[in-house]
């Protein structure tokens, strides 16, 4: 049987002229048809694999990020409560465990900042006089110099701000004119003095303030509007002073914001456990996990594009072991895995929730379930204070031994899990980069023979750890991505080579059929000549 291409060739050869362009195109296209189809099929398959692999990585990232966002919102961990939020407010510090929190606080004073005002001048451009003044805050002093270049109220204010001592200066304009306002930071130690050291009497000394000879009845310089004062509060019967109204080192895990002083008024600090929110979160997690598992199953099924991909198989395997993964490191017998609170893995890899078992555990030990959702870190010795951010260290328990605080001449030292640590500032140390506890850092506030640091990654941390392991430079998902990218480049190289060969083959065919066309034309001319001669010869006969 003659093919369509062959038929075209025979027809063309039987004609007086050949459609070289069409004939070459048909021959060249037929020559590479099988190879072209194979490359197209490989490209389609490669594109599908790359797309599905990206979707798989995205699904685990989105799953982990969504859970982290839910946790960071505070709805899944115990929050401190204040019985009078108009006096003081409280909030939880990330990673803290506040179950059973109970304390009483009386706010006797709130921290204030020293505030001073000067007499009004005509405007911000009014000259203040040439000379120098000394601004002193605590044990630090800076010289404020007024020259022809900055001899104005605005220039003086800018020079004060530029001193770097934490004193602000602004100009307030009202119906009486423009006046300088100076304000320091809160706390008694941040009170300041402002003295003229050179200049003309009646000029720069209009802005001077010295508490040792300040007479409110005869003010010659700045007027004291408010004195610097420390906050004073009584916590469970113990008097505590603070230079600011916001601090986190009085009640472990709780940030306190003082809003007003109310001497003698007792504010009760407690805690509120989000029992219902955690139950719902467990249920939502199971549903979201099963949805993601369905997507992955489609990719790895018998018809899936990634059915033989090692990276995806590793992801599915690790996700399948999530219910038995240790999420916390409790030592009191509390549940530490999802399986122990009623989340189990079915035969097909999906999850199911035993709501009755979860409800029972939430009733008897809600803090254990809460801890599974919230990353946390703690030290069993108050002299060892963890300084790294929550969630930056691999989960587990780490032993600190022979901890010695630093001094003016020596750095702090400690042994971590039997290995050395690196100095961090004057009071702290950090784990070596090769340590299993890499990223862990802590301050040593006093000599400690032995202490234990516990890092709980929680569920979001466990998911993030899976993603980081598989997408690291040596991870299996990274290897899959590299392999697919290399395959894509290989296909492109083969396509380029095929295109080059096709171009050369078309040029070869064009040359051949051009010569054939010339030969046919010559033959046709000869045939016409002979026919004509034969007719002449026949007529003569």
């Amino acid at each position: 049987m003659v093919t369509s291409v062959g038929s075209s060739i025979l027809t063309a050869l039987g004609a007086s002229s050949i459609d070289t362009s069409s004939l070459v195109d048909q021959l060249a296209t037929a020559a590479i048809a099988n190879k072209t189809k194979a490359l197209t099929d490989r490209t389609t398959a490669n594109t599908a694999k790359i797309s599905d692999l990206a979707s798989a990585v995205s699904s685990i990232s989105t799953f982990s990020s969504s859970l982290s966002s839910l946790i960071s919102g505070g709805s899944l961990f115990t929050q401190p409560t204040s019985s009078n939020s108009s006096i003081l407010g409280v909030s939880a510090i990330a990673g803290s465990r506040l179950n059973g929190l109970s304390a009483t606080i009386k706010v006797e004073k709130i921290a204030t900042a020293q505030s001073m005002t000067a007499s009004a001048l005509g405007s911000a451009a009014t000259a203040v006089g040439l000379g120098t003044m000394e601004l002193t805050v605590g044990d630090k002093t800076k010289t404020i110099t007024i020259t022809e270049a900055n001899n104005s109220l605005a220039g003086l204010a800018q020079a004060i701000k530029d001193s770097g001592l934490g004193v602000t200066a602004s100009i307030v304009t009202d119906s009486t004119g423009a006046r300088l306002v100076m304000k320091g930071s809160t706390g008694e130690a941040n009170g300041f003095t402002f003295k003229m050291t050179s200049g003309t009497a009646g000029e720069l000394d209009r802005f001077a303030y010295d508490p040792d000879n300040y007479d409110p009845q005869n003010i010659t310089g700045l007027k004291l509007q408010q004195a610097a004062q420390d906050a004073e509060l009584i916590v469970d019967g113990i008097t505590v002073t603070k230079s600011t109204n916001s601090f986190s080192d009085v009640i472990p895990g709780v940030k306190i914001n003082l809003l007003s002083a109310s001497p003698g008024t007792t504010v009760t600090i407690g805690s509120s456990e989000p029992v219902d929110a955690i139950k719902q979160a467990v249920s939502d997690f199971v549903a979201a996990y099963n949805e993601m598992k369905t997507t992955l199953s489609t990719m790895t099924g018998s018809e899936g594009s990634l059915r033989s991909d090692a990276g995806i198989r590793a992801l599915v395997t690790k996700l399948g072991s999530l219910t038995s993964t240790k999420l916390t490191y409790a030592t009191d017998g509390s549940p530490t895995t999802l399986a122990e609170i009623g989340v189990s893995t079915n035969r097909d890899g999906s999850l199911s929730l035993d709501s009755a078992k979860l409800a029972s555990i939430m009733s008897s030990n809600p803090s254990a379930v809460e801890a599974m959702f919230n990353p946390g870190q703690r030290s069993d010795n108050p002299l060892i204070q963890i300084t790294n951010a929550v969630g930056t260290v691999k989960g587990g328990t780490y032993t600190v031994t022979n901890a010695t605080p630093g001094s003016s001449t020596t750095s702090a030292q400690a042994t971590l899990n039997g290995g050395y640590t690196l100095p961090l500032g004057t009071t702290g140390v950090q784990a070596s980069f090769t340590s299993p506890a890499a990223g862990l850092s802590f301050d040593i506030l006093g000599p400690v023979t032995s202490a234990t640091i516990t890092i709980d990654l929680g569920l979001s941390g466990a998911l993030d750890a899976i993603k980081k392991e598989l997408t690291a430079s040596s991870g299996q998902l990274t290897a899959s991505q590299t392999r697919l990218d290399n395959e894509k480049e290989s296909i492109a190289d083969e396509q380029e080579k095929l295109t080059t060969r096709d171009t050369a083959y078309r040029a070869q065919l064009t040359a051949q059929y051009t010569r054939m066309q010339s030969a046919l034309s010559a033959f046709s001319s000869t045939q016409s000549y002979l026919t004509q001669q034969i007719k002449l010869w026949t007529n003569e006969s």
Side-chain angles (χ1 to χ4, degrees), residues 84-329:
N84 194 328
S85 57
S86 64
I87 296 177
L88 67 87
V90 288
S91 58
I93 299 173
S96 58
R97 302 284 188 251
L98 302 179
N99 308 89
L101 176 64
S102 178
T104 59
I105 297 178
K106 296 178 182 179
V107 182
E108 302 297 300
K109 301 176 183 178
I110 62 171
T112 56
Q114 181 178 329
S115 177
M116 315 288 298
T117 58
S119 299
L121 297 181
S123 70
T126 301
V128 294
L130 307 178
T132 58
M133 300 189 74
E134 282 188 349
L135 176 62
T136 301
V137 180
D139 59 355
K140 297 180 179 179
T141 298
K142 286 291 182 70
T143 298
I144 306 298
T145 303
I146 302 299
T147 66
E148 292 291 353
N150 64 343
N151 185 12
S152 66
L153 191 59
L156 175 61
Q158 188 61 50
I160 293 170
K161 288 188 288 186
D162 291 344
S163 69
L165 294 182
V167 177
T168 62
S170 58
I171 297 173
V172 177
T173 302
D174 56 23
S175 59
T176 62
R179 67 183 70 242
L180 177 72
V181 178
M182 294 177 64
K183 189 174 184 178
S185 301
T186 59
E188 186 176 335
N190 291 313
F192 59 89
T193 63
F194 200 33
K195 302 177 182 179
M196 186 179 77
T197 51
S198 69
T200 303
E203 292 185 341
L204 285 179
D205 54 1
R206 291 174 293 176
F207 307 98
Y209 171 73
D210 185 351
D212 293 335
N213 52 33
Y214 178 74
D215 182 0
Q217 304 303 319
N218 183 27
I219 299 174
T220 58
L222 294 175
K223 181 179 181 180
L224 179 65
Q225 300 291 349
Q226 180 176 265
Q229 173 182 277
D230 284 340
E232 182 180 307
L233 57 158
I234 302 173
V235 183
D236 289 336
I238 300 174
T239 300
V240 177
T241 59
K242 291 291 178 183
S243 61
T244 68
N245 292 313
S246 180
F247 40 86
S248 306
D249 56 355
V250 171
I251 299 176
V254 178
K255 181 179 180 180
I256 297 175
N257 292 300
L258 303 183
L259 302 174
S260 65
S262 183
T265 301
T266 298
V267 179
T268 301
I269 305 300
S271 60
S272 174
E273 294 180 332
V275 174
D276 291 337
I278 292 176
K279 285 182 181 179
Q280 186 61 49
V282 176
S283 178
D284 290 345
F285 166 77
V286 170
Y289 178 95
N290 287 340
E291 183 178 344
M292 180 179 65
K293 181 66 173 61
T294 299
T295 300
L296 293 177
S297 295
T298 301
M299 296 177 184
T300 57
S302 59
E303 300 298 324
S305 64
L306 298 173
R307 55 188 176 277
S308 59
D309 185 84
I312 291 296
R313 286 203 304 269
L315 174 60
V316 172
T317 298
K318 289 185 177 298
L319 288 175
S321 65
L322 198 58
T323 56
S324 59
T325 298
K326 209 174 184 65
L327 303 179
T328 65
Y329 289 83

Side-chain angles (χ1 to χ4, degrees), residues 313-362:
R313 286 203 304 269
L315 174 60
V316 172
T317 298
K318 289 185 177 298
L319 288 175
S321 65
L322 198 58
T323 56
S324 59
T325 298
K326 209 174 184 65
L327 303 179
T328 65
Y329 289 83
T331 58
D332 59 359
S334 296
T336 61
T337 67
L338 291 173
E340 293 176 278
I341 64 171
V343 180
S344 58
T345 304
N346 301 318
R347 295 176 66 88
D348 63 355
S350 63
L351 300 183
S352 59
L353 173 63
D354 184 339
S355 299
K357 184 175 183 179
L358 175 62
S360 175
I361 294 174
M362 286 299 297

Side-chain angles (χ1 to χ4, degrees), residues 69 362 445-446 534:
S69 298
M362 286 299 297
L445 306 185
I534 290 171

Side-chain angles (χ1 to χ4, degrees), residues 384-389 392-393 398 400 404 411-417 419-444 453:
I384 300 295
Q385 293 192 350
I386 304 172
T387 56
N388 58 270
T392 57
V393 181
Y398 303 96
V400 178
T404 306
S411 300
Q413 298 180 11
T415 300
L416 183 63
N417 277 13
Y420 67 91
T421 55
L422 304 173
L424 183 64
T426 304
T427 60
V429 297
Q430 61 183 341
S432 69
F433 304 112
T434 57
S435 168
L440 177 63
S441 61
F442 52 90
D443 283 339
I444 304 171
I453 290 177

